[in-house]
Amino acid sequence: MINTIMDEANRCLKCKVPQCKKGCPISTPIPQVLTLLENSAIDQAGEMLFENNPLSIVCSLICNHEKQCEGNCILGRKGTPINFSLIENYISDLYLDKMEFLPVRPNDKKVAIIGAGPAGITIAITLAKKGYSVTLFDSKDKIGGVLQYGIPEFRLPKKILARYLEILIKLGVKIRPNIIIGETLSVDDLLADGYLSVFAGTGVWKPKKLGVPGESYGNVHYAIDYLSSPEAFELGGKVAILGMGNSAMDVARTAIRKGAKEVTLIARRNQAAASAKEVTYARLDGAKFEYCKKIIEITKNGVVLDDIIIDDAGNPTGTAQNPYLFEADSVIISVSQGPKDRLTSTTPELETNDRGLLIVDEAGKTTRRGVFAAGDVVYGAKTVVEAVNQAKKVAQAMHEYMEANH
């Protein structure tokens, strides 16, 4: 593999205005990283990646590289772009094993982080390195949020998250699993106990309904629930998945690995919303695809569909008005998720928009003094790298707030 990595690094043109960096949501300094690698300074390259993106190893595996760094590489215009994700993974994996944190002088200021997902982990690492006493609260038994409970093992090995747990512990972060802020404890309790600021990174764990008859039937499930613990579900041999985003691809590939004999993804549009890479993997695994289908209702025997008619430009013009049953033992709905309201319903002055997402300013400040937020609970389901990028900015805003007010 090392030859492949060095061959890829050596192909970099070191553009004066690197489009790969511009295409990365967190502006990874790719040319500088590759230069360090070429000069055998791999530890420095790893440090640069981690300081820019604490979840670099995660992003190297699950980012949509074809639309980000690699998709913007100038070499891809007439040939093959630099496979930076492979390089990033190698460097980041090695760095996690070798990294050491210098002792930090505690500043005796306490920070509460609600949600151990990508944003919460980023905030915890960033503020702990600044000397804050950080406590991380999460409703699940393991850290990672969507990384742990929404992305399958074959895409993101969970041993990576175990390594992040070790990092958090080394940094002195206190972790309280299996606790929901908004039930036994509230945000007011945290502030009353001396936490100078609170970060909300609770994600979007509430599945959205399709709004068609039959969603309550026993053969119907939601994608986020299935991905959280697929071993708890008995799907049968034939599975229909409603939706074609990246989560739907994860559901399809997981169901196949769990023994489903025939898995079909169904979409209203004439193309998948998921990345081309994820569609390719799902197809290779054996998933089938049905496009331009209107979902009429769900029955105990499958899904009633109607064909959507599209014009030459790909725009829908109507339906065939000929509903038919697509037979399936189980139906999994994978259209979108929204936030749960336990936090907002128990926190005075914490406002949300019409989608139930937290309202924040450009620095991540919510409408409740001392409470900050970032990630999916603010912007809806987005990418991990976007959540990390937002969290970095919010961590700095929290630091400035606590320095100025306490």
Side-chain angles (χ1 to χ4, degrees):
M1 177 182 287
I2 189 66
N3 288 336
T4 303
I5 289 171
M6 292 310 302
D7 289 343
E8 284 297 292
N10 290 330
R11 290 201 302 121
C12 181
L13 300 178
K14 306 297 190 299
C15 304
K16 291 184 178 179
V17 182
Q19 297 302 306
C20 55
K21 180 178 179 180
K22 291 180 67 176
C24 174
I26 204 166
S27 300
T28 301
I30 295 173
Q32 293 96 315
V33 169
L34 296 183
T35 297
L36 288 170
L37 178 62
E38 291 165 353
N39 291 329
S40 300
I42 194 166
D43 291 348
Q44 292 93 318
E47 182 179 14
M48 181 176 287
L49 284 172
F50 188 87
E51 290 300 315
N52 180 70
N53 177 3
L55 297 185
S56 61
I57 188 172
V58 173
C59 292
S60 74
L61 294 172
I62 66 173
C63 265
N64 188 353
H65 302 100
E66 65 198 48
K67 289 187 177 180
Q68 296 171 355
C69 56
E70 294 172 12
N72 285 274
C73 176
I74 194 170
L75 290 175
R77 297 179 183 178
K78 294 184 179 180
T80 304
I82 303 287
N83 188 348
F84 182 69
S85 57
L86 178 70
I87 299 171
E88 182 179 28
N89 181 262
Y90 180 84
I91 296 173
S92 299
D93 182 58
L94 181 63
Y95 183 70
L96 285 191
D97 285 336
K98 300 172 69 175
M99 68 186 302
E100 296 181 358
F101 294 110
L102 297 175
V104 177
R105 176 182 293 179
N107 61 20
D108 297 324
K109 296 179 180 180
K110 296 194 299 183
V111 177
I113 297 174
I114 307 172
I121 291 173
T122 301
I123 297 278
I125 290 173
T126 304
L127 293 183
K129 289 173 66 178
K130 291 182 180 295
Y132 289 94
S133 175
V134 178
T135 300
L136 184 56
F137 301 83
D138 197 84
S139 62
K140 304 287 189 179
D141 62 329
K142 297 177 182 178
I143 70 162
V146 69
L147 303 178
Q148 184 78 247
Y149 297 99
I151 298 178
E153 172 77 19
F154 56 81
R155 281 190 63 206
L156 180 64
K158 299 306 179 278
K159 63 182 181 181
I160 291 176
L161 300 177
R163 294 164 78 182
Y164 275 96
L165 177 61
E166 292 179 7
I167 290 171
L168 291 169
I169 292 172
K170 287 180 180 178
L171 285 170
V173 175
K174 298 294 188 292
I175 299 172
R176 291 191 62 174
N178 294 323
I179 184 166
I180 298 172
I181 303 300
E183 290 190 352
T184 305
L185 294 176
S186 67
V187 169
D188 286 345
D189 291 326
L190 301 179
L191 294 171
D193 278 345
Y195 291 95
L196 300 185
S197 65
V198 175
F199 173 77
T202 47
V204 285
W205 293 95
K206 183 179 179 180
K208 288 191 176 179
K209 297 193 303 181
L210 270 178
V212 299
E215 282 192 69
S216 67
Y217 291 166
N219 61 325
V220 183
H221 311 288
Y222 294 101
I224 192 65
D225 298 329
Y226 176 70
L227 290 173
S228 292
S229 54
E231 63 282 349
F233 292 75
E234 294 293 337
L235 300 181
K238 191 171 183 179
V239 180
I241 300 168
L242 309 183
M244 281 195 196
N246 284 333
S247 290
M249 301 302 150
D250 287 341
V251 170
R253 298 179 68 194
T254 300
I256 290 169
R257 284 163 170 75
K258 294 296 180 181
K261 302 302 181 185
E262 186 175 330
V263 175
T264 305
L265 297 111
I266 300 169
R268 289 180 56 88
R269 299 169 57 191
N270 61 352
Q271 59 184 355
S275 70
K277 181 177 72 173
E278 295 306 321
V279 171
T280 298
Y281 276 125
R283 199 182 300 277
L284 285 171
D285 284 356
K288 299 179 181 179
F289 295 77
E290 291 284 343
Y291 300 95
C292 300
K293 306 297 180 184
K294 180 180 179 180
I295 300 157
I296 306 299
E297 67 174 312
I298 303 172
T299 75
K300 64 180 181 179
N301 297 314
V303 190
V304 177
L305 305 174
D306 197 2
D307 292 329
I308 295 175
I309 300 170
I310 60 172
D311 58 23
D312 293 339
N315 300 312
T317 60
T319 63
Q321 299 293 313
N322 184 30
Y324 62 93
L325 176 67
F326 183 91
E327 293 185 358
D329 298 312
S330 293
V331 177
I332 299 181
I333 298 170
S334 182
V335 288
S336 187
Q337 295 102 238
K340 295 182 177 180
D341 64 358
R342 286 179 299 220
L343 196 67
T344 55
S345 64
T346 59
T347 308
E349 303 176 24
L350 190 60
E351 297 180 8
T352 62
N353 62 19
D354 56 2
R355 296 168 58 196
L357 301 171
L358 292 177
I359 296 173
V360 301
D361 66 10
E362 64 280 358
K365 296 179 183 178
T366 69
T367 52
R368 174 67 186 271
R369 178 176 170 81
V371 179
F372 296 74
D376 292 353
V377 74
V378 172
Y379 299 100
K382 299 289 186 181
T383 63
V384 170
V385 69
E386 288 173 310
V388 174
N389 190 44
Q390 297 157 14
K392 284 177 57 181
K393 298 173 183 177
V394 175
Q396 181 60 31
M398 292 174 71
H399 170 63
E400 292 173 358
Y401 166 81
M402 290 183 284
E403 288 286 291
N405 294 279
H406 302 281

